[in-house]
Amino acid sequence: MIRVMLVDDQELLRAGFRMVLGAQPDVDVVAEAADGVTALELLDRVEVDVVLMDVRMPRMDGVEATRRIDGPKVLILTTFDLDEYALAAIKAGAAGFLLKDVPPADLVNAIRQVHAGDAVVSPRTLRRMLDRFAAQLPVEELPAATELTPREREVLLMVARGLSNMEIAGRLEVAEATVKTHLGRVLAKLGLRDRAQVVVYAYEAGLVVPSHRPKG
């Protein structure tokens, strides 16, 4: 059973999500909050696997709340005009983002994917978002990709291009488990949380250029 917390200051939206998720045999909505402060307080008392998090809320927004969450996976709720906040949340540790008008089936599938340890943001979609907002983001010192082996760098670039583990395994002619091992080492060496942050890193480090073609 996947334990989900809903965090949104709009009660009607929470009710809608609760209705959709309540119909799933493997999903249980165990907590709700109207702001980030309440969400963090509840997480001290309630076991949660996935947090469905709004971005703009009173008292504490979703970006700051995501930064403070340790353990549960976070899915950010956003609208088209709030993509920059979603990107900031991904950099803060969110596993991905969803649009608030996401079809019910896609919402449920996204929660299952995140619970399984994957990111739900299509890297191609994330790159389009990065193209639009990268210039507004502060430049941070990034860990060097020189610590990666040639194969790890190859996997990083393929992830940045939007390939799944299965597709990468096919390209490299290795087992999917081997790809997961390489990706795990990439995350550990670069201090990244998931493949969504890999795409952010690849873009900001200049490994992926605006034309969407990886360097090297």
Side-chain angles (χ1 to χ4, degrees), residues 104-180:
D106 290 349
L107 171 65
V108 175
N109 184 56
I111 290 172
R112 289 172 178 153
Q113 283 183 272
V114 166
H115 183 252
D118 205 351
V120 301
V121 183
S122 163
R124 295 178 180 88
T125 301
L126 183 58
R127 283 204 302 273
R128 288 197 298 270
M129 189 170 68
L130 283 165
D131 276 344
R132 182 175 177 186
F133 295 110
Q136 303 175 21
L137 297 175
V139 177
E140 301 173 358
E141 186 175 347
L142 301 174
T146 53
E147 297 296 322
L148 303 180
T149 66
R151 179 48 58 90
E152 289 165 356
R153 180 183 173 90
E154 194 173 11
V155 169
L156 180 150
L157 292 175
M158 288 187 180
V159 170
R161 285 163 48 197
L163 274 66
S164 67
N165 287 349
M166 183 178 297
E167 291 170 330
I168 295 172
R171 297 276 184 98
L172 299 180
E173 298 183 344
V174 299
E176 189 174 352
T178 301
V179 174
K180 291 180 180 178

Side-chain angles (χ1 to χ4, degrees), residues 22-91:
Q24 307 304 313
D26 59 339
V27 179
D28 184 18
V29 177
V30 297
E32 296 183 34
D35 58 71
V37 172
T38 305
L40 293 175
E41 292 172 349
L42 285 172
L43 285 173
D44 287 335
R45 308 193 303 269
V46 181
E47 292 291 330
V48 174
D49 300 309
V50 177
V51 179
L52 204 57
M53 179 83 74
D54 189 16
V55 175
R56 298 181 70 179
M57 296 179 293
R59 296 213 294 169
M60 181 187 294
D61 64 27
V63 174
E64 181 59 28
T66 297
R67 188 175 292 111
R68 299 188 188 194
I69 289 177
D70 182 22
K73 304 290 187 178
V74 179
L75 281 176
I76 292 296
L77 294 166
T78 184
T79 55
F80 283 114
D81 62 335
L82 294 178
D83 281 348
E84 67 270 35
Y85 294 103
L87 177 55
I90 291 171
K91 289 165 68 70

